[in-house]
Amino acid sequence: QVQLVESGGGLVQAGGSLRLSCAASGRTFSSYAMGWFRQAPGKEREFVAAISWNDDSTYYADSVKGRFTISRDNAKNTVYLQMNSLKPEDTAVYYCAAGYGLLEGVEQGKYYDYWGQGTQVTVSS
């Protein structure tokens, strides 16, 4: 069992930055692909970014490419999402997710095993 706890959300003006963190319990964190997803009111959950477990490859949604950066620190069992140049359309609840040994389908939420409770990000115009 893995527990994920997100933090770092908040209210920021357009053009600003936030860094989200997701702390994971357990001793096998390095074996999990980690992803960030978001869900805005009235919309479906969408993929934001992911980082692989084996070679730290990173993947991004087109809407955030060049503005967001995902990284992980296996010593701290933590994955981060640095969000720069934020836009009002980035407003959503952001969730981190963990997929054990996940190699393919990192952009699809259905392949992840564990989810955090979410953290709210609000970007004002």
Side-chain angles (χ1 to χ4, degrees), residues 1-4 24-34 52-54 72-78 98-102 113-114:
Q1 189 78 6
V2 174
Q3 291 186 326
L4 304 174
S25 65
R27 295 177 293 178
T28 58
F29 176 76
S30 60
S31 298
Y32 285 83
M34 300 299 296
S52 69
W53 65 270
N54 58 333
R72 65 190 300 159
D73 185 338
N74 289 339
K76 296 182 177 180
N77 280 15
T78 301
Y100 184 77
L102 183 61
D113 304 301
Y114 302 101

Side-chain angles (χ1 to χ4, degrees), residues 1-124:
Q1 189 78 6
V2 174
Q3 291 186 326
L4 304 174
V5 179
E6 301 99 333
S7 61
L11 174 64
V12 64
Q13 288 188 332
S17 298
L18 283 175
R19 187 176 81 154
L20 305 183
S21 299
C22 174
S25 65
R27 295 177 293 178
T28 58
F29 176 76
S30 60
S31 298
Y32 285 83
M34 300 299 296
W36 286 96
F37 293 77
R38 66 187 181 186
Q39 187 167 20
K43 295 187 176 181
E44 293 187 352
R45 183 181 64 194
E46 65 174 357
F47 168 76
V48 176
I51 185 166
S52 69
W53 65 270
N54 58 333
D55 63 2
D56 284 349
S57 295
T58 56
Y59 309 84
Y60 297 95
D62 288 343
S63 59
V64 306
K65 203 169 293 183
R67 300 187 298 122
F68 292 10
T69 302
I70 188 171
S71 61
R72 65 190 300 159
D73 185 338
N74 289 339
K76 296 182 177 180
N77 280 15
T78 301
V79 63
Y80 304 97
L81 184 68
Q82 177 66 43
M83 306 186 295
N84 298 329
S85 301
L86 282 161
K87 305 175 181 180
E89 51 263 43
D90 294 318
T91 296
V93 177
Y94 283 70
Y95 300 90
C96 73
Y100 184 77
L102 183 61
L103 289 176
E104 296 183 0
V106 293
E107 300 178 358
Q108 301 183 56
K110 66 182 180 180
Y111 293 122
Y112 287 82
D113 304 301
Y114 302 101
W115 292 81
Q117 82 290 347
T119 186
Q120 176 70 47
V121 172
T122 303
V123 184
S124 63

